[in-house]
Amino acid sequence: MTGRDTTTTARTRPEPAAAAAPRAPGWAPAAAVRGKLPGLAVAAVGVALAWTAHRVLPAVPLLTAAIVLGAAAAHLPGPRAVVRGVARPGLSFAGKRLMRAGVVLLGLSVGLGDVLGLGWGTVAMVLGTVAATFGATAWLGRRMGLPGDQPLLIATGYAVCGASAIGAMSEVSDSEEEDVATAVALVTLCGTLAIVVLPLLHQPLGLDATQFGRWVGAGVHDVGQVVATAQTAGPTALREAVLVKLMRVAMLAPLVAAVGLSLRRAGGPAQTLPDGTAHTSPDGARGTRRPPIVPLFVVGFLAMTALRSTGLLPQPVLTAAHQAQELLLAAALVGLGSAVHLPSLVRDGGRVAALGLCSWLVIAGVSYGGVLLTT
């Protein structure tokens, strides 16, 4: 072992004196930070381009533009070498760590008083929609034979709040980056299609503004997509949609905690899921890690929700926090988008698309029935 270590040191550090010299305190962390800077710079450029696209075309949500640009960079001949090479550590950092920070700040958008003001009937409708969508999607994804954590992540994204929910769940399930990217791409695509499809169904389904808004809030994935869809029916629909959507966002913490508890009891990451299916960690090992029941960033999300509910924060602070949350999530989606590998997506594309369509029908149907029963 000693000889192997010496050989490796000599090979990687050609100057013997430098190899023998003790490392200064903080050397490794500093090197790690420097290694992430190129990727973080790429993510920042992606966010700037996504923001510009959103400003020029307001119908294009910032987060949708961010993941599209990340995926494009991963496949264009020039940027591809950078994205897969020197920028990879920083982009992976953005896709995980910045996503956590964005989820924490997302808690400041959830006021428990406003949510509970919708009434217990609406609370029950949202709980039923989240449970039915998550359970049906996870079960069907396993039946279809989708690989890795894709069924779990897609189920979470559809049931709760799109990409941010997928990012939160992936931390508990220790999911591979490619599975996360595939789930985010599918949920983002379907949520974007909802902006076009749902307004066309508003009048044919005979929904008034309140009903349409609640249906959109219960059935569309990302907050930005909810706003873009509901605003077509006026301010009443928009208000109801946002409140119902924030109620779904509040379901993120208990859902992640439930999965974390399930995995902890199983003795390792992602072995037994709430729908009863078997699952292994990315390295195939079982029982190698005991995930936290509630990750720290979910605790942060709950703390921010409690802080928002006190009413102590002035509106300028909440506005600044919302803008920071959008930028952090956009940077995270640039990182996740850059991990999308189209050949793999095409290989599983038929099954992934079928699962997305079925899950979309489940959440749209259950939420529609729930709205009719509670309004």
Side-chain angles (χ1 to χ4, degrees):
M1 178 66 69
T2 304
R4 183 184 304 169
D5 291 344
T6 303
T7 303
T8 302
T9 303
R11 184 169 60 250
T12 55
R13 297 183 182 277
E15 298 181 14
R23 294 175 179 175
W27 181 88
V33 170
R34 285 196 299 271
K36 293 180 177 66
L37 290 179
L40 292 176
V42 171
V45 171
V47 171
L49 292 175
W51 181 84
T52 302
H54 175 63
R55 295 286 293 181
V56 174
L57 298 171
V60 177
L62 171 65
L63 301 186
T64 300
I67 191 170
V68 169
L69 286 170
H75 294 86
L76 292 175
R80 178 174 57 197
V82 176
V83 165
R84 296 182 180 178
V86 67
R88 189 70 257 152
L91 288 170
S92 296
F93 177 87
K96 291 190 122 182
R97 305 296 179 176
L98 298 188
M99 178 68 78
R100 292 181 183 181
V103 169
V104 170
L105 290 180
L106 186 63
L108 288 175
S109 66
V110 182
L112 294 181
D114 291 336
V115 170
L116 294 177
L118 290 170
W120 290 108
T122 303
V123 172
M125 181 269 288
V126 170
L127 287 173
T129 299
V130 170
T133 303
F134 180 82
T137 304
W139 176 83
L140 187 58
R142 292 296 173 201
R143 295 287 294 178
M144 288 180 167
L146 289 182
D149 288 322
Q150 289 181 19
L152 171 66
L153 299 176
I154 292 170
T156 305
Y158 271 83
V160 186
C161 54
S164 53
I166 292 171
M169 186 61 77
S170 70
E171 296 295 328
V172 172
S173 60
D174 197 21
S175 303
E176 290 184 350
E177 192 174 27
E178 185 176 333
D179 288 342
V180 177
T182 298
V184 169
L186 177 66
V187 172
T188 301
L189 174 62
C190 290
T192 303
L193 291 176
I195 299 173
V196 178
V197 174
L198 266 61
L200 297 177
L201 299 176
H202 179 191
Q203 297 302 328
L205 291 178
L207 300 174
D208 61 26
T210 297
Q211 291 173 323
F212 180 74
R214 293 188 180 187
W215 185 44
V216 170
V220 179
H221 316 313
D222 180 77
V223 176
Q225 295 162 347
V226 166
V227 171
T229 306
Q231 58 85 28
T232 61
T236 299
L238 179 59
R239 177 184 179 278
E240 296 294 318
V242 171
L243 287 176
V244 171
K245 176 59 187 175
L246 293 182
M247 188 184 298
R248 278 175 65 202
V249 172
M251 298 295 103
L252 176 61
L255 180 61
V256 169
V259 173
L261 181 60
S262 175
L263 302 183
R264 190 175 181 86
R265 285 176 175 172
Q271 288 185 40
T272 304
L273 302 179
D275 63 339
T277 55
H279 177 62
T280 52
S281 61
D283 59 2
R286 290 179 176 266
T288 57
R289 183 173 70 91
R290 293 176 65 82
I293 296 175
V294 181
L296 284 179
F297 71 94
V298 176
V299 175
F301 171 89
L302 293 173
M304 293 298 102
T305 299
L307 181 60
R308 166 64 187 266
S309 301
T310 64
L312 297 176
L313 296 179
Q315 189 56 45
V317 172
L318 294 176
T319 301
H322 175 72
Q323 293 171 345
Q325 167 219 311
E326 287 277 291
L327 293 177
L328 286 169
L329 291 180
L333 289 183
V334 171
L336 288 176
S338 70
V340 172
H341 188 238
L342 286 181
S344 298
L345 196 58
V346 169
R347 184 182 64 237
D348 297 320
R351 290 178 294 167
V352 170
L355 178 60
L357 177 60
C358 291
S359 184
W360 198 5
L361 292 175
V362 169
I363 193 170
V366 173
S367 59
Y368 176 70
V371 166
L372 293 183
L373 290 173
T374 56
T375 55

